[in-house]
């Protein structure tokens, strides 16, 4: 569903500063408890950024396409190595980040739901404690944002080129590339903020969401790079019934025009199957010409090769990986610009800087793109944080954390009481290197969107440090994985001899978590 704008104005080229409202004068907040020395928060969230596509995590894949600016946050702060989402989908993950609650508790369980903005949210708590709050970029929660002094959001998923931005008053099309525009808007807001107050800024990028459209300057960035093909790219899904039924396979389900930018014939400027042509039509004639000029030679070479079967499947993987990583290049540039800006303004060391994705993503593992499943690549949520007063450079967080923990952590780091209704816990003790013998051993996960895009069936489960148990409850099918011996989750060992004890333990923990988080019975049927 597309969020309906409140009012539409002419789609002209506008100065970014023109859409900023007049900010309130210093001292007008009746309950201003914050001091000038209070930490700021810059929360940068990208969309669908896979862990292996961030070079701080050390994969061979990312070594070929490094992310030095994003890495800087990790190197100068903390890298999270076991951070997970509780529902691997864009809207639900964002709702959990802001509410500090699981999907069933905040009410946004699947894309297409309408987010209840009247509930307690982290930005509202910051507001009440004297912070100036802002949201710029992707929203994807249908209803109007609440708790922000300023917001401007993309319409639905947003467009890579010449996107629409919705504000309280109107909808404006802005010429340019979406990642660059969000960066400029964020810096512009920071330039014009009320400097007597600390800020809580949520900078939400569209990238690197489907259809992986790079900035023009990056069209050829990885043309000559051959990315390593995952060992299980041609997975046959033996023993995993739900995996057999999905529709997110790169070489079978990707749209050859929209996603892979393949043309209909040699020399043609028309793309193959393209169900969302309006996204490409956002381009001006000049932009569209430059796009075709840049891709024509690459597409013609495919026609000359006349690839079929496995060879074509491997070509599609390389096209996808190159476009995906080229789209990330502008994200990394954006992070670099934000770090440079904060340093120039003297804000770098008094700002809690977070970079994360809204969930993980598949870049060929199991032959897939997208997310949704509880498997590691999509449940895992890459994240890093920088804040020298509390976080020692080079810190690695290896204990289990989750996106419901973000809000409590940010609040505690800023000296603000954590609301009791938040289900997450602050991981500040982990950041400070304190001993935490009683830290959680298990995480709860629940995916609700079926029937839905990509046909991933509903399931819930529990994840421990070594084992993971999931239940596809409408199919009445269990899956159990030993992540130490089977990190790629290829072998479902549920029901096998010798697994009785760990299965019973995990089912017990699963029930305990469902009771702890008060998951309604209707959500498990």
């Amino acid at each position: 569903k597309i969020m309906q704008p409140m009012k539409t104005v002419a789609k002209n080229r506008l100065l970014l500063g023109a859409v900023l409202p007049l900010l309130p004068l210093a001292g007008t907040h009746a309950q201003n408890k914050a001091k000038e020395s209070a930490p700021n928060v810059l929360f940068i969230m990208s969309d669908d950024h896979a862990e292996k596509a961030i070079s701080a995590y050390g994969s061979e894949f990312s070594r070929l396409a490094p992310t030095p600016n994003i890495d800087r946050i990790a190197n100068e702060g903390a890298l999270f190595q076991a951070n997970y989402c509780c529902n691997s989908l864009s809207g639900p993950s964002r709702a959990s980040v802001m509410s500090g609650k699981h999907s069933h508790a905040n009410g946004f369980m699947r894309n297409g739901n309408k987010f209840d903005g009247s509930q307690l949210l982290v930005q509202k708590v910051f507001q009440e404690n004297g912070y100036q709050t802002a949201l710029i970029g992707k929203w994807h929660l249908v209803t109007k944002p609440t708790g922000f002094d300023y917001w401007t959001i993309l319409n639905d998923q947003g467009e890579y080129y010449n996107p629409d931005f919705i504000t309280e008053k109107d909808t404006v099309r802005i010429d340019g590339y979406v990642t660059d525009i969000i960066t400029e808007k964020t810096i512009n807001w920071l330039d014009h903020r009320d400097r007597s107050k600390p800020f809580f800024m949520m900078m939400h990028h569209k990238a690197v969401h489907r259809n992986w459209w790079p900035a023009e300057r990056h069209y050829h960035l990885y043309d000559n790079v051959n990315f390593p093909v995952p060992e299980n790219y041609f997975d046959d899904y033996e023993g995993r019934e739900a995996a057999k039924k999905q529709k997110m396979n790169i070489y079978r389900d990707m749209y050859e025009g929209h996603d892979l930018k393949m043309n209909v014939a040699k020399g043609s400027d028309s793309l193959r199957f393209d169900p969302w042509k309006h996204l490409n039509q956002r381009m001006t004639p000049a932009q569209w010409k430059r796009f075709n000029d840049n891709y024509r030679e690459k597409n013609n070479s495919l026609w000359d090769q006349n690839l079929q079967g496995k060879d074509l499947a491997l070509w599609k993987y390389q096209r996808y990986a190159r476009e995906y990583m080229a789209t990330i290049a502008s994200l990394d540039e954006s992070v670099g610009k934000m770090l440079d800006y904060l340093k120039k303004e003297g804000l770098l060391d008094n700002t809690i800087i977070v970079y994360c994705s809204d969930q993980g993503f598949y870049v060929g593992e199991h032959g897939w793109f997208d997310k949704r499943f509880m498997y590691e690549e999509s449940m895992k949520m890459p994240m890093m944080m920088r804040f020298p007063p509390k976080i020692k450079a080079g810190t690695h967080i290896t204990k289990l954390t989750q996106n419901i923990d973000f809000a409590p952590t940010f609040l505690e780091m800023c000296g603000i009481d954590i609301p009791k209704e938040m289900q997450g816990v602050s991981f500040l003790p982990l950041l400070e290197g304190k001993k935490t013998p009683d830290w959680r051993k298990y995480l709860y996960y629940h995916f609700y969107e079926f029937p839905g895009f990509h046909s991933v069936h509903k399931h819930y489960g529990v994840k421990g440090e070594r084992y993971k148990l999931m239940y596809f409850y409408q199919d009445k099918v269990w899956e159990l994985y030993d992540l130490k011996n089977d990190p790629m989750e290829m072998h479902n060992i549920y029901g096998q001899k010798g697994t009785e004890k760990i299965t019973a333990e995990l089912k017990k923990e699963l029930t305990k978590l469902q009771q702890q988080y008060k998951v309604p019975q209707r959500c498990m049927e």
Side-chain angles (χ1 to χ4, degrees), residues 325-383:
M325 294 307 295
T327 305
I328 288 172
S330 61
L331 270 180
D332 191 66
E333 291 172 350
S334 171
V335 171
K337 288 178 182 177
M338 295 309 304
L339 293 174
D340 291 346
Y341 173 84
L342 293 175
K343 183 176 181 179
K344 177 177 69 72
E345 294 293 313
L347 298 168
L348 186 62
D349 289 345
N350 195 41
T351 300
I352 298 165
I353 303 169
V354 182
Y355 180 85
C356 70
S357 174
D358 54 356
Q359 66 265 316
F361 208 69
Y362 297 99
V363 190
E365 299 84 3
H366 302 287
W368 294 339
F369 64 103
D370 209 70
K371 54 265 186 180
R372 291 171 166 79
F373 278 109
M374 194 184 169
Y375 303 125
E376 287 291 287
E377 292 86 359
S378 47
M379 184 184 177
K380 210 165 189 182
M381 191 174 176
M383 185 170 76

Side-chain angles (χ1 to χ4, degrees), residues 18-31:
V19 298
L20 283 176
L22 291 175
L23 299 177
L25 296 175
T28 58
H29 197 293
Q31 298 179 355

Side-chain angles (χ1 to χ4, degrees), residues 390-409:
K390 296 284 186 181
I391 308 172
K392 183 180 178 181
T395 297
H396 283 210
I397 306 298
T398 58
K399 292 195 174 182
L400 295 172
T401 58
Q402 201 162 25
N403 54 354
I404 58 172
D405 301 333
F406 293 6
T409 304

